[in-house]
Structures are given as structure tokens and as C-alpha cells.
Amino acid sequence: MDTVNSAADTAPDDSSSLDALVGELRRGEETWGAMSLSARRDLLAALSEAVREHAGEWVDAACAIKRLDPGSPLVGEEWISGPYALLGGIGALSATLAALASGRSPVDGFRLSRAPGDRVAVRVLPHGPFDRLLLHGFRAEVWSEPGVTAGRLKETAGLGQRTPEKTGGVGLVLGAGNILSIAPLDTLYELFAHNRVVLLKLNPVTDPLLPVLTKVFARFVELGLVRIVTGGVDLGAAAVAHPGIGHVHITGSVRSHDTIVFGPGEEGRERQARGEALLDKPITSELGGVSPTIVVPGKWSKRDLAYQAEHLVTQKLHNNGYNCIASQVLVLSEDWPQKDDFLGALRAAFAAAPPRPAYYPGSDDRCRAAVRDHPGTAERVAGGSRVLLEVPADGDVAFTEEYFAPVLAVTSLPGRGREFLDRAAAFADERLSGTLGANVVAHPRTIRALGADFTHFVAALRYGTVAVNAWTGVGYLTARATWGAFPGHTLRDVQSGIGTVHNGLLLDGTERTVVHGPFRPFPRSVLTGLFALSPRPPWFVTHRTAATTGRRLTAFAGRPSWTGLPGIFASALRG
């Protein structure tokens, strides 16, 4: 049996097999350390070509995992959050290596400006003419930590690729089970940000993707840089404990993280309380949380109410709510005259969104728990498959327990203007578990009227990604943006995790990503005086041509060209 192939597509069944895999990666580490930046770019080019070649197979596997009708527009989610996202990450890393190889900083050519609180903002979207056309009206900035200078950002950008010969050992990536580009992107980040070769263990939910990923990463596997395995909890525990593994990265739940670090059961919780970790190696993590969407009161038209209701429903029901940054708590103003009108539009959109199977394990149980936790007030819609809650702001289990299911809680705070902003920021920062992502919806006229108060409000939200009139998922898709929790968490209180990923510029000293999007889609945006040419985004759950648009976007991301744009625009506008 071929050793390389068996290492890539079978699960180790004993400790000797795991030893063999780690031994192969140790030898691969030597190969990695000897590779020039140019050779690493060649590897990325081969990876990009393989993703393009097998993208259709990837999406077919995703549909099987998620039990989606291959003819459904919802398949667009799998194109965009799968091969499209990975291709964007590959392209960003390749450009960073090209800059370093030519003696430049990866930040050269990017707009740098001041952000609140002695921070530096790096404009990462749009980048280049294609971004300006395809995502017109969207922009994103990576903010540094307070006190980090523009000079330091430029000097340190590139992370491990500044000294490629200094490798970081063998890293274990425990893959996510929901969004299928997460595990490949995490693997690339270990390789390029930290110079670690990677043992990737897939989440059992995504095991059917193994044949595709084996083909996609074929060159990395041949060189001993990556090994991909499947298996259950026992394999994961053995890999974590293996002395040849020097670092662990997990995308998953807080419970899984805490079990790895402190051990299971009551004994593990007691160790956690004492701060006595069992894990004897560093761990980074992305763990989700309870994400809010804060609606800033203003004067909206009926079409604004309907569109933003669809937007909020997308934030909740994309991938049926099985996203680490699925909006879980909607925060409204008690004093907003249009509050009831918006809730009416939201209920209608929540019920009318396309149906889909509850594929993620335990989803139905979590929906039933949400109903059980709110006797007499929980509202089941769409044949009982979704749950809408109205809860008081002074405390609720929905503020601390991530349901990871199609469950949306609505709460209200008093005030308007700056008073509401201050209360909403304090509520999100202090009452809600997790710091991965927060969404804000506000009319441009309201933002202008609030001025500096609105800017300070965004800065006050302690989240790794803050999206204004956009979903934080746009930050996930922006390859040069950072992705991860707000910095400062500890192993004992990990919240949404420790560390960042994606970060195609390989920036050091970052704090968050801030995304802005258009309040209205084209053509209504232009007709109402807001110059934004983006139509309804293809990641909206209501987008009628999302599958075609997603497929064309993926082909374009693999080989950008002016000739690819008309077909994308035509499909997107029909959506």
C-alpha cells in the first residue's frame, strides 16, 4: 500500500500508525524549512489549480453532508463558503509571499489610517479593481491593537514567512464540522503564519470531504507537509497527547476546548477553576459564541424594513444557523417607533426562508431546549423547524448558551441616539457570551447624524469582527481580514477563543476587523441617493440565483479576468 496515500485517506487505528504519521511530518518539516518563498508560491499555485479542478466535487460532497437538493439556490452557500473562500485565501497568501520575496512589506500599497483609541487601520477591502466592482459599497479594515504603529505593522507583516527556514514543528488542526473551508484555511494558516507542518483531523460530520481534500492537498501530502485523517474522539485525544505534536488548533465549542485543556467531567471543571491545565502544549482556538445584531433606531422605508429583515434572517439561517457567527440575539430599541413594524417583517421573513434539513447533530434537541427554556413565550415557525424568542434584557439563557441551531432571540433596550448606543455596547460586551462577531444595522442618515458617537460605539464593541450594514460572514470571506475572537481571553475563560486565522497579509499585533456594507442593494441604493452598485448579496438565503452566482464567483476567484465579470453580474442581478 502506498504510504503517502494511506496517510492521507485513512484513520490511524493504533498508536504506531499515529507515530508513523508524525514521523512523516517531521521529515516533511525539514523539506518545508528548505523551501524558498518562490517554491512555496508554486505550491500555492498548484493548490489553487487543484481547488478549481475539484470544486464541483467539493460542492457535491457538501450537498450530501448537508442533505441539500443539488438544484436548490442554497447550494450557493457551499460554493461561496467552500472553494471560493479557500481560493481567496490562497491568492492573498501568494501575494504576501511575492511581496516578501521582492523585499517589500506585504502591507505596501495598502491604505493605512488612524482608528479610534491609538489604533492603525489597514484597508483590506476593496483591494484592486475586481473587488471594487464585485463588492462595490463594501469595505473592510483590520485594526491594530492600541499602541501598535504603522511602522511596526509593516516591519512584522509576514509572520513566519519572514524567516521561512525557522520551522515550528508539527501542529494538529482539529477541523470544524460546519463550514467546509475552515479546516483547509486553518491548515494553510498553520503552515504559512507559524511555519508548522500539519496533521489535520477532520470533524466526523465532514468526513465525506476527505477524498476531495486529499486531491486538493495532493502536493502538500506528497512532500510530507500535510496529513489528513478521520476518526472520533479517541483519535483526537491521542493526537492531542502525542509528544510529537507541538501545537493544537481547534475550531469548535467551548466545551470541547475545555475538555482538551482541563480534562472531562467534574474533575476537569475543578481543574479549570484552579487554573491547572492538563494540556502541556500551546493551543489556539476559534469557538463561536452568542453573536448580536444591534439595530440602531432611525426612520426607515417599508422596503428598508423588509430588506433588513431578510438580512437579519440570513445572519441567522445561513447554513441553518450552524455558524459560529450566526446572529443569536437581536437587540432593538424600546423607543423606536418602527420596532413593531420591523418585528412583523422579521417574522414574515423568518417563516418564509427556504426550508432545509437539520443536518448538524443535536440541532433538533437544541431547538426543543430553547422552547423548554421559554415556556409560553417561544414561537415555533416554519413547521416547527425554527424558534423565535422574545426575552427580557435583564438576563436569559439565550445570552449565555450558543444554541448552534435556527433559534433567534429578540430583546429590547430603552433609549435612542447615543443613549441607546451606550446601552447596546454595554449589553453586548457584558451580557453576551463570546466575542467573535457583532453586527450593526443603521440607516446612513442616522450614522451621519450620530457622527463621532457612532464611531466610538463601533470601537466600544469588543468583538473580533464588527460588521456595519453587513454580516460578519463578509469578514470571514475577506481573505486579508483577520478572523478570531477579540484578544485577551485565557485558557480558564476562553470565550470565543485565542488567536487569529485567515489574515492573508500575515499581520502581527491585530485586534479586530471592521466591515461596512451598503444599507440598500442596487438599484434601489442608487435611486435613493446611496451610491452602491452591489445587488442583493449572493449569500442571502433569499437569493434566487445564488448557486449559479456562487459557481461563477468560484471560477473567477481561481482565474480572475475581465471576461468573467459579465456572467457574474448578470446572475447576481437576477437574484
Side-chain angles (χ1 to χ4, degrees), residues 13-28:
D13 54 6
D14 54 39
S15 59
S16 62
S17 297
L18 188 57
D19 288 343
L21 289 177
V22 173
E24 291 164 3
L25 288 167
R26 283 288 196 193
R27 292 188 290 276

Side-chain angles (χ1 to χ4, degrees), residues 280-521:
D280 61 354
K281 59 195 69 173
I283 182 171
T284 52
S285 51
E286 192 264 82
L287 306 173
V290 175
S291 293
T293 296
I294 299 167
V295 174
V296 182
K299 188 176 181 180
W300 297 8
S301 70
K302 288 184 178 180
R303 295 185 73 180
D304 292 338
L305 292 167
Y307 177 75
Q308 291 300 340
E310 286 185 46
H311 192 186
L312 191 282
V313 166
T314 292
Q315 295 171 13
K316 174 72 266 182
L317 294 182
H318 182 280
N319 199 31
N320 206 38
Y322 314 133
N323 288 334
C324 295
I325 36 83
S327 181
Q328 181 162 306
V329 178
L330 171 61
V331 183
L332 301 174
S333 167
E334 292 177 359
D335 303 315
W336 185 27
Q338 293 180 291
K339 172 191 168 187
D340 290 340
D341 292 336
F342 182 68
L343 284 175
L346 176 67
R347 282 191 171 88
F350 197 57
R356 66 175 90 203
Y359 77 88
Y360 206 86
S363 175
D364 291 337
D365 290 339
R366 291 189 290 275
C367 285
R368 283 191 288 269
V371 173
R372 186 177 63 249
D373 292 340
H374 302 84
T377 60
E379 183 179 347
R380 303 203 72 157
V381 300
S385 63
R386 301 166 191 157
V387 180
L388 191 63
L389 311 170
E390 287 199 53
V391 300
D394 56 359
D396 191 85
V397 66
F399 302 163
T400 57
E401 182 72 23
E402 182 186 10
Y403 282 117
F404 212 69
V407 177
L408 178 65
V410 181
T411 195
S412 301
L413 302 170
R416 300 176 70 176
R418 178 169 180 174
E419 178 188 14
F420 175 75
L421 296 183
D422 290 345
R423 285 195 172 114
F427 172 83
D429 289 343
E430 299 167 12
R431 294 290 186 91
L432 304 183
S433 295
T435 64
L436 187 62
N439 312 284
V440 179
V441 180
H443 195 291
R445 187 168 51 240
T446 303
I447 294 174
R448 287 194 297 269
L450 288 165
D453 287 340
F454 188 82
T455 302
H456 291 308
F457 161 67
V458 171
L461 291 168
R462 297 195 296 269
Y463 287 82
T465 299
V466 178
V468 178
N469 292 332
W471 179 35
T472 48
V474 179
Y476 178 90
L477 291 174
T478 302
R480 293 175 175 86
T482 54
W483 186 254
F486 196 81
H489 301 314
T490 65
L491 291 179
R492 290 179 68 183
D493 183 20
V494 74
Q495 295 282 317
S496 288
I498 297 172
T500 60
V501 290
H502 300 190
N503 186 20
L505 292 175
L506 300 180
L507 297 170
D508 192 23
T510 61
E511 180 187 73
R512 72 177 84 187
T513 289
V514 179
V515 178
H516 289 262
F519 183 72
R520 297 173 179 136

Side-chain angles (χ1 to χ4, degrees), residues 58-283:
W58 175 319
V59 172
D60 288 344
C63 290
I65 291 168
K66 302 184 180 184
R67 305 202 299 274
L68 290 176
D69 178 352
S72 168
L74 294 174
V75 174
E77 294 180 1
E78 301 311 315
W79 282 103
I80 294 170
S81 67
Y84 171 81
L86 181 54
L87 286 166
I90 294 167
L93 285 172
S94 181
T96 290
L97 295 189
L100 291 169
S102 65
R104 297 179 290 112
S105 169
V107 179
D108 288 350
F110 287 79
R111 175 184 170 185
L112 274 63
S113 60
R114 302 304 304 176
D118 194 25
R119 298 173 174 93
V120 176
V122 183
R123 177 70 63 85
V124 294
L125 182 73
H127 180 65
F130 293 140
D131 278 356
R132 292 185 180 92
L133 289 169
L134 289 171
L135 292 165
H136 192 273
F138 288 89
R139 69 182 192 274
E141 297 174 336
V142 174
W143 288 10
S144 72
E145 293 180 317
V148 174
T149 65
R152 179 183 156 190
L153 284 175
K154 289 183 177 182
E155 291 166 4
T156 58
L159 296 177
Q161 298 310 294
R162 300 188 72 84
T163 54
E165 71 282 359
K166 296 180 180 178
T167 54
V170 179
L172 170 67
V173 171
L174 298 173
N178 55 344
I179 295 296
L180 302 189
S181 61
I182 292 177
L185 285 168
D186 290 350
T187 297
L188 288 181
Y189 200 69
E190 287 291 292
L191 279 161
F192 288 90
H194 303 298
N195 258 349
R196 283 191 280 266
V197 293
V198 178
L199 176 64
L200 167 60
K201 181 198 168 297
L202 297 181
N203 185 293
V205 174
T206 67
D207 282 355
L209 196 65
L210 176 64
V212 180
L213 292 184
T214 301
K215 296 171 186 175
V216 165
F217 279 99
R219 285 289 294 133
F220 288 80
V221 171
E222 290 167 9
L223 293 170
L225 310 178
V226 172
R227 290 290 181 262
I228 310 172
V229 298
T230 60
V233 173
D234 290 345
L235 172 62
V240 166
H242 195 282
I245 299 290
H247 182 275
V248 178
H249 178 79
I250 177 175
T251 299
S253 69
V254 172
R255 290 186 184 89
S256 296
H257 170 274
D258 291 347
T259 298
I260 290 171
V261 174
F262 298 104
E266 185 59 32
E267 289 185 3
R269 287 187 288 273
E270 290 173 359
R271 290 190 199 94
Q272 184 175 5
R274 297 192 301 266
E276 298 175 358
L278 287 179
L279 187 67
D280 61 354
K281 59 195 69 173
I283 182 171

